[in-house]
Amino acid sequence: MTAISDYDALLADALSAFTKASDVLGGDAVPLAASAVRAFEAQRDFLAQAVAMPAPADPAPLLQPTGQALAAAGDLVGTLKRGPLGNHAQALQEGLGALTWVTVSPTPVPHIAEAKDSMQFYLNKVLKEHRATGPEHVAWCTALTALPTALVAYVKAHHTTGVAWGSLKTGTAAPAVGAVAAAAPATGAAI
């Protein structure tokens, strides 16, 4: 399978399961899931371009749609974090930080793991509050946790040392180019 068909599988499996769990939870979980879908789809579009072309001198314009989707998700979380699903919202925001792996070279996987760990802080609060009384909240947490787990597997398979620019043309994963890493700090700052 190609890098893009595998990413599509991630969207169809892990992201779809998260969306379904959000629909079951209802309320603010629905727009939160929609913001996650927009961010993952923007990254899919970026990756489709990246694997089909050599690394540009400045990848920032290609990263802009993902950055905008992440910013919109952050704005939504800002409005929801004081509501009944505030910890859910903050967990999602921390988890979406994993999507900035495209700016990290040569080891993007630990960056995703850090975002997952940050997300877990808020998920633990959700679980503590709802474990005994809200199985739909537990299912939502499980589905959200599966997203960075699936992303790690995807990156390990196709972008081990960073974005594999031009790999579609060569049929193999190309090494990451320093320009990608320079586009944003490796600390996980927003794209």
Side-chain angles (χ1 to χ4, degrees), residues 23-183:
D23 289 343
V24 169
L25 192 55
D28 291 341
V30 174
L32 286 171
S35 70
V37 167
R38 284 189 295 277
F40 273 89
E41 287 177 348
Q43 182 161 92
R44 190 252 185 234
D45 292 344
F46 164 77
L47 291 169
Q49 292 176 339
V51 300
M53 64 185 283
D58 180 14
L62 296 174
L63 293 168
Q64 190 174 15
T66 303
Q68 290 170 340
L70 291 173
D75 291 344
L76 178 62
V77 168
T79 64
L80 300 178
K81 69 181 179 182
R82 301 253 187 266
L85 299 182
N87 286 323
H88 298 68
Q90 290 182 300
L92 178 63
Q93 183 174 21
E94 294 295 333
L96 288 178
L99 293 178
T100 62
W101 71 267
V102 296
T103 65
V104 180
S105 173
T107 55
V109 169
H111 176 76
I112 299 168
E114 287 175 20
K116 183 178 178 182
D117 290 345
S118 296
M119 175 184 76
Q120 194 63 50
F121 173 80
Y122 292 102
L123 290 179
N124 287 343
K125 290 182 175 193
V126 173
L127 292 170
K128 181 178 178 185
E129 182 179 349
H130 297 285
R131 186 169 307 200
T133 60
E136 67 278 7
H137 293 271
V138 175
W140 188 90
C141 291
T142 301
L144 180 56
T145 302
L147 285 171
T149 301
L151 191 58
V152 163
Y154 169 78
V155 171
K156 282 182 177 180
H158 298 287
H159 305 279
T160 308
T161 59
V163 175
W165 292 98
S167 61
L168 184 64
K169 293 180 181 175
T170 63
T172 62
V177 176
V180 176

